[in-house]
Amino acid sequence: MPIDVYATAGAIEKDLRGHACVIVDVLRATSVIITAIEHGCKSVIPVAEVEDAAIMARQLGGERVLLCGERGGVMIPGFNLSNSPLEYTEEVIAGRSLVMSTTNGTRAILRAGGSEAVFMGGFLNARAVAEAALSVSDSIAIVCAGTDGRYSLDDVLCSGAIISRILDINGKQSLCDLGRTALALYDSYNDDLFESLRGSLHFERLRALGFEEDIRYCLQEDVMQAVPEYKNGVIRKRRPQAAQTAE
Ligand code: 3SL
Ligand code: MG
């Protein structure tokens, strides 16, 4: 089976049952979730609508639940954390449950439920998420969150990074056309990911809001091992294969 890459969640045209699915929203939702899980947060519940997130947090109750996310790139009134990965330090989120709603990223995660496994990917954990996906299935779908329903260069470049790691492990995997494009882009741009994204839509939006440091953070490659996995409505840290087979 080829590795399929979708430019947006809305472009998914087939049943992804049996697939290992990797959701990519480099700027910034999946980079935030990877950071949160790496820094010891207990779980992340993705929710599409702001109002539903607030209701969910109330239902879960307790001060250990944090409401997180953004609209228009900035903190939602009444929420505890915005969508800046730099806020998700160990001190703030270790042991906490997060309820998260973002414009594109959390929606893409919800769309991919029903696959064999759904993982969060980014540059931060490119190698780790490639290994996790291959350990589940040879049928891999990389779903880019995109920006407002459109192709986003940051997500496609990151798909190329994840594909390069998959091919390092299993050179026999074939690629769909967008997968080939993503890999070629990554191969020619990976010397300076930040410069290669200059002028792209969401990159410039975030820079205009003052989030250049967030962008630089999200473009670091293979600095985290955590592979967040979405299952039964909740994202948790994927446990090593050995722990799962021992059960
Ligand atoms: O669209 C999303 O899900 C967000 O990641 C967008 S932002 O980078 O927080 O503006
Ligand atoms: Mg994005």
Side-chain angles (χ1 to χ4, degrees):
M1 291 290 285
I3 301 172
D4 284 322
V5 179
Y6 296 97
T8 64
I12 299 172
E13 90 298 350
K14 68 179 188 194
D15 190 337
L16 293 182
R17 262 178 294 185
H19 284 67
C21 201
V22 179
I23 311 294
V24 174
D25 186 5
V26 177
L27 301 176
R28 296 167 288 175
T30 56
S31 298
V32 167
I33 295 169
I34 295 161
T35 302
I37 294 289
E38 177 93 8
H39 290 166
C41 104
K42 205 167 126 198
S43 59
V44 181
I45 300 177
V47 176
E49 304 301 334
V50 171
E51 299 71 26
D52 295 339
I55 293 168
M56 171 75 75
R58 269 201 300 279
Q59 281 170 354
L60 292 172
E63 54 195 40
R64 301 209 63 75
V65 178
L66 295 174
L67 265 172
C68 314
E70 56 69 41
R71 282 298 180 275
V74 298
M75 173 109 94
I76 300 166
F79 274 38
N80 304 105
L81 296 173
S82 79
N83 203 34
S84 168
L86 305 180
E87 291 177 20
Y88 292 69
T89 60
E90 220 176 301
E91 296 69 40
V92 174
I93 54 97
R96 301 285 194 114
S97 295
L98 313 183
V99 177
M100 174 176 282
S101 182
T102 70
T103 311
N104 306 284
T106 49
R107 290 183 178 159
I109 297 164
L110 296 170
R111 170 68 182 84
S115 314
E116 185 67 27
V118 181
F119 302 122
M120 308 303 121
F123 287 109
L124 297 172
N125 71 347
R127 180 161 300 280
V129 80
E131 285 168 2
L134 271 174
S135 74
V136 170
S137 175
D138 284 346
S139 303
I140 296 173
I142 301 178
V143 178
C144 300
T147 300
D148 304 333
R150 298 172 69 186
Y151 168 106
S152 207
L153 181 57
D154 46 306
D155 292 340
V156 173
L157 263 181
C158 182
S159 302
I162 295 169
I163 289 169
S164 79
R165 276 53 166 190
I166 292 172
L167 295 180
D168 278 352
I169 304 166
N170 177 3
K172 290 196 189 125
Q173 293 279 148
S174 60
L175 304 175
C176 74
D177 284 5
L178 184 53
R180 295 176 64 156
T181 309
L183 182 62
L185 280 176
Y186 174 72
D187 283 344
S188 54
Y189 285 161
N190 69 37
D191 276 354
D192 193 339
L193 293 169
F194 187 89
E195 282 307 316
S196 70
L197 287 171
R198 223 178 253 287
S200 61
L201 178 66
H202 196 54
F203 173 100
E204 292 302 344
R205 254 191 213 161
L206 288 177
R207 263 183 14 109
L209 289 168
F211 292 128
E212 182 163 327
E213 216 188 320
D214 280 18
I215 299 172
R216 292 191 185 279
Y217 174 90
C218 295
L219 299 181
Q220 300 173 93
E221 297 186 67
D222 296 318
V223 293
M224 293 186 172
Q225 293 307 313
V227 179
E229 180 171 8
Y230 177 63
K231 207 186 252 181
N232 302 325
V234 184
I235 299 168
R236 295 196 176 86
K237 185 174 191 167
R238 175 175 165 78
R239 287 161 305 145
Q241 199 71 20
Q244 294 190 32
T245 44
E247 284 173 0

